[in-house]
């Protein structure tokens, strides 16, 4: 009866896969994982798909509820990484971004998730049927998804579909996948045709020929070896076809046992020593049994599953260590391949085969039957192939001590090593395991690892930081197992340096790594711990004796420089040459170390020193020696090995290290030997001291924890007090804020009321402005009418002034002509008087006097005429000036009123009070103007009275002069008549013009009462003084009006600015 561990993960999201690791040697079952829906229900949630990652340490598993789990076999942990909500049909890891994985779902879509962050990365759609398989390119950049009707190529960098393969409905697609480490895509169809395509260009490279002989197989299961050279294809038959993809020919046909009717699944089981050309093929048939056979010998190694424990699907680890099977019950079963059969991980044995060739139209193929025992070959048709028996290279009478496990012989290996200097890299690990006789005690190693990390190596990463976390964990695991095996290894400082190269070499197999390190310690580190914790002086003295025998000069140089064996030999031994040699050199050295006596390692130390004697002899400083033996140097490893063998052969027996060191002793089977070759009291004392320190540290940590708790409690109370005070402050702030809010609301209400009142005032102002605008419009109309009249008067004044100027010029010219005539007459009279002077002197004198008087009268008459003309011109000029003054005053009034109206119109909309003040001020201005006009009228009346008085006086004087000069006038009556006629004409014309001007001024609204009598007053005398006074008065009026206008402007400006500010 099969008894195994069954782990029910239930609804847990993470946990252990098994609680105690125990592998059944008969069945190889590591653990069985099930998942029940709940603790109360026994309904099992079935697992559907599994897929391994590239390391082979963990795999994905998806159930029909859509839950995706990651199982880590090396860490014994499982974890729920995604809940998709629907069943998955295929799973695959991303080969480049190792934390990402692809899931093909039942809705024909593909989703990409990150297993660390549990976040979706992308969602790819495009299939119209269920996706049966996912294949990832070795670079991790592309993926192929296959359904029955199409295959699609995806770019995993952009998650976009690159190409799509469509087929006819009559020919379905079985599988499309990438070949390993190649750019070739294989597409397999339901008509047994297989095509190879170039993944970059999708160019068809070749097609495999369809077998014509025998029954049709109907391919449905395919598998390729890791080197991509062999294809296994099977289907509805018990035959398995093996194709060689290089030659594109059918290589072999394997016939399964008769009870196999149909093959559902095939896959190759990788091996560490086959170099990718996998030889073991797993075949799952319709009877739910997975059989593993050797495709060369057709020998069945083992089988898993049965009729009771049926297997529906399986996944094989890329390293060939584990197999995960999906059982018919829905459970997962994890198998340990190394526990199933000892035939795995062995080099191929030479076989004697007798085969027959069968002919076909496509070529020859080899048909072999599979048996449970040794491989037997059944001849088909064709010629017989001659078989040869390979001769044995070594006699069968070798000593038993040279016989190694797995059919190897130590003598033969040493001969091979002497010939080539190293073992083949492909078989090196296998040869080492055979040379060291590793027992592979799984149970003993598990008991050591189950104890967990040793306290001495918990903080290993602080002293030996390693970039790779996997290497860090592997080193910690191996060192902890060694420390649990022997207490001295927990106190050895150089143990990590010694074990690290083996951990790096066997990082995927911790058991082998531990046993290799333990074997090295037991055999090649003999007597190292007798002087613990000091270096092994006894072992170092052996190396120094050999160096003294073979190179005394170099030893004396070391002594002269103060360099001891602890400086030149111990660094090489404690690191096992890993610091001074490259990887290939180190492997080559240990090929020879493991193949010889344990003293070979000491001889290698001496050989290294002697081979580097030239640079060492040049060194004199200890720091140079330390640097030399802790860093890589230019060294021929082959020459060093030859020197080592020479030292082994030429060293005398009395100083030969082999006489002190024991022969090689392998580790015991079942349990590891007891290692107590060290001063136990020192180790125990150090362990006790470390334990005491640890206890003190624990006590200190406990006390510190208590202090921290007290401090945290004090901080908490302080925080509570501060929180209470803060709460009180917040309450006060809240109350203050509410009070402030109320005040703000009240202020807002007051502002709203003020705005409402302002709106009412604005409405009233608008109403008043409308009334005032209508009034102003009427006033403006009146002002326009007045301005038009003034303009008409100005035009008339300008015309009269031009006419007066013309008349004045004509009068002046006439007077000049008349003066010239008078001068001519006077000259004529003077000539007549001169002629008659002699005749009558008395008459002449009287005549002269008479003539002189007459001339004076004429002159006075001319002067009067000229004065009269001047008066007339002055009068016209005054009238024109008065008209111009009135026009200027009217213009000033109009401009001032226009300016006031403009500014008032802007301010009247908001400030009625200002408008009223302006109106009052305008009224005052008009009143002042009326007063000024009245004053002007009064001054004008007084002036006219003075003028009338003066003119009356002048007329009286003229009458007196007329009476006095009556006699004289009679003498010059003729000339006077002509002069009077001329004066009468001039006076008539002047009176006519004055009458016309008076009529116009009487029609004007600006006329005064004094103007009605202007035509009746003589303007002969005092005209100049009156004109000057009148001009001065008009100038004062103008200045007064300008001051009033400036004051009104200053009064309007601040009122306007205040209106705008409101």
């Amino acid at each position: 009866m099969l008894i195994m561990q069954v782990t029910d993960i239930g609804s847990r999201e993470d946990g252990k896969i098994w609680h105690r690791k125990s592998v059944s040697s008969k069945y190889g079952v590591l653990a069985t994982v099930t998942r029940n829906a709940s603790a109360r229900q026994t309904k099992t949630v079935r697992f559907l798909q599994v897929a391994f990652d590239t390391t082979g340490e963990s795999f994905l598993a998806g159930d029909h509820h859509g839950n995706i789990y990651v199982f880590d076999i090396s860490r014994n942990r499982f974890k729920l990484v995604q809940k998709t909500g629907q069943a998955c049909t295929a799973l695959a890891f991303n080969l480049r971004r190792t934390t990402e994985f692809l899931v093909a779902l039942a809705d024909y879509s593909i989703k990409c998730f990150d297993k660390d962050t549990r976040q979706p990365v992308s969602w790819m759609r495009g299939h119209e049927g269920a996706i049966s398989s996912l294949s990832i390119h070795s670079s991790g950049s592309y993926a192929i998804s296959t359904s029955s009707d199409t295959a699609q190529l995806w770019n995993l960098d952009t998650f976009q579909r690159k190409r799509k393969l469509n087929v006819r409905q009559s020919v379905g697609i079985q599988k499309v996948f990438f070949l390993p480490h190649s750019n070739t895509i294989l597409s397999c169809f339901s008509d047994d045709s297989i095509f190879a395509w170039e993944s970059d260009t999708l160019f068809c490279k070749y097609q495999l020929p369809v077998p014509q002989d025998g029954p049709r197989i109907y391919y449905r299961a395919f598998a390729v070896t890791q080197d991509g050279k062999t294809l296994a294809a099977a289907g509805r038959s018990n035959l398995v076809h093996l194709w060689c993809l290089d030659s594109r020919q059918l290589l072999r046909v394997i016939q399964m046992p008769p009870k196999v009717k149909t093959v559902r699944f095939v896959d190759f089981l990788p091996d560490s020593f086959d170099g990718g050309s996998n030889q073991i093929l797993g075949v799952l048939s319709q009877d739910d049994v997975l059989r593993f056979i050797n495709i060369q010998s057709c020998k069945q190694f083992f089988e898993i599953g049965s009729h009771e424990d049926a297997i529906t699907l399986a996944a094989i680890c890329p390293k060939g260590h584990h197999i995960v099977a999906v059982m018919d019950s829905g459970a997962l079963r994890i198998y340990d391949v190394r526990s199933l059969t000892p035939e795995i991980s062995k080099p191929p044995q030479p076989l004697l085969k007798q085969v027959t060739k069968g002919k076909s139209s496509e070529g020859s193929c080899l048909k072999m039957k599979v048996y449970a025992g040794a491989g037997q070959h059944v001849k088909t048709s064709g010629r017989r192939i001659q078989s040869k028996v390979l001769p044995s290279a070594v006699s069968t009478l070798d000593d038993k001590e040279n016989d190694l496990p797995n059919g190897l012989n130590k003598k033969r290996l040493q001969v091979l090593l002497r010939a080539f200097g190293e073992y083949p890299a492909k078989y090196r690990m296998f040869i080492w395991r055979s040379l060291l006789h590793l027992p592979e005690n799984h149970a003993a190693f598990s008991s050591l690892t189950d104890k967990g990390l040793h306290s001495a190596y918990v903080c290993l990463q602080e002293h030996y930081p390693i970039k790779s976390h996997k290497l860090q964990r592997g080193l910690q695991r191996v060192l902890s197992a060694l420390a649990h095996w022997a207490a001295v290894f927990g106190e050895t400082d150089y143990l990590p340096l010694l074990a690290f190269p083996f951990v790096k070499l066997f990082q995927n197999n911790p058991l082998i790594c531990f046993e290799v390190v333990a074997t090295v310690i037991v055999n090649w580190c003999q007597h190292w711990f007798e002087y613990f914790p000091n270096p092994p002086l006894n072992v170092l003295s052996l190396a120094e004796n050999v160096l003294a025998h073979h190179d005394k000069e170099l030893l004396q140089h070391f002594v002269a420089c103060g360099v001891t064996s602890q400086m030149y030999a111990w660094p090489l031994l404690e690191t096992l040459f890993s610091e001074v040699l490259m990887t290939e050199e180190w492997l080559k050295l240990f090929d020879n170390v493991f193949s010889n006596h344990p003293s070979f390692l000491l001889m290698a130390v001496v050989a290294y020193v002697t081979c580097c004697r030239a640079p060492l002899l040049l060194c004199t400083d200890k720091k140079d020696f330390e640097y030399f033996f802790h860093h890589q140097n230019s060294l021929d490893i082959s020459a060093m090995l030859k020197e080592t063998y020479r030292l082994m052969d030429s060293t005398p027996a009395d100083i030969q290290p082999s006489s002190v060191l024991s022969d090689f002793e392998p580790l015991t089977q079942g349990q590891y030997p007891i290692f107590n070759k060290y001063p136990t009291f020192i180790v125990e004392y150090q362990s006790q001291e470390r334990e005491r320190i640890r206890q003190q540290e624990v006590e200190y940590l406990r006390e510190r924890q208590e202090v921290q708790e007290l401090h945290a409690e004090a901080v908490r109370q302080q925080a509570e007090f501060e929180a209470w005070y803060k709460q009180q402050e917040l309450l006060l702030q809240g109350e203050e804020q509410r009070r402030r809010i109320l005040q703000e609301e009240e202020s807002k209400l007051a502002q709203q009321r003020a705005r409402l009142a302002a709106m009412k005032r604005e409405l009233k102002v608008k109403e008043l402005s409308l009334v005032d605008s209508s009034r102003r419009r009427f006033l403006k109309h009146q002002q326009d009418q007045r301005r038009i009249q003034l303009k008409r008067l100005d035009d008339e004044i300008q015309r009269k002034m031009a006419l007066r100027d013309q008349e004045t010029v004509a009068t002046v010219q006439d007077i000049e002509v008349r003066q010239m005539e008078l001068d001519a007459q006077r000259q004529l009279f003077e000539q007549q008087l001169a002629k008659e002077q002699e005749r009558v002197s008395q008459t002449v004198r009287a005549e002269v006097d008479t003539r002189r008087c007459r001339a004076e009268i004429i002159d006075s008459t001319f002067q009067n005429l000229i004065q009269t003309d001047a008066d007339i011109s002055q009068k016209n000029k005054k009238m024109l000036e008065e008209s111009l003054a009135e026009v200027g005053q009217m213009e000033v009034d109009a401009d001032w009123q226009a300016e006031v109206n403009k500014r008032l119109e802007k301010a009247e909309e908001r400030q009625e009070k200002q408008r009223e003040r302006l109106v009052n001020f305008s009224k005052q201005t008009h009143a002042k103007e009326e007063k000024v006009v009245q004053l002007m009228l009064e001054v004008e009346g007084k002036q006219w009275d003075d003028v009338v008085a003066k003119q009356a006086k002048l007329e009286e004087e003229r009458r007196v002069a007329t009476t006095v000069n009556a006699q004289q006038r009679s003498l010059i009556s003729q000339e006077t008549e002509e002069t009077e006629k001329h004066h009468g004409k001039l006076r008539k014309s002047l009176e006519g013009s004055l009458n016309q001007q008076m009529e116009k001024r009487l029609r004007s609204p600006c006329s005064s009462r004094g103007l009605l009598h202007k035509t009746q007053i003589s303007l002969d005398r005092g005209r100049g003084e009156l004109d000057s006074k009148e001009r001065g008065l008009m100038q004062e009026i103008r200045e007064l009006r300008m001051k009033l206008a400036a004051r009104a402007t200053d009064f309007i400006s601040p009122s306007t600015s205040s209106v705008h500010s409101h």
Side-chain angles (χ1 to χ4, degrees), residues 41 150 192 214 226 349 500 504 615 689 742 751 843 853 933 1045:
Q41 299 179 359
T150 182
D192 293 348
Q226 288 186 341
Q349 299 292 329
F500 177 73
K504 190 174 182 180
E689 286 296 315
L742 289 175
Q751 290 176 2
T843 305
C853 292
V933 171

Side-chain angles (χ1 to χ4, degrees), residues 320-339:
H321 297 163
H322 301 92
I323 300 172
V324 178
V326 180
M327 311 306 291
D328 187 56
S329 61
L332 292 179
R333 187 165 292 174
I334 305 172
Y335 292 90
D336 188 355
V337 177
R338 289 164 292 190
S339 301

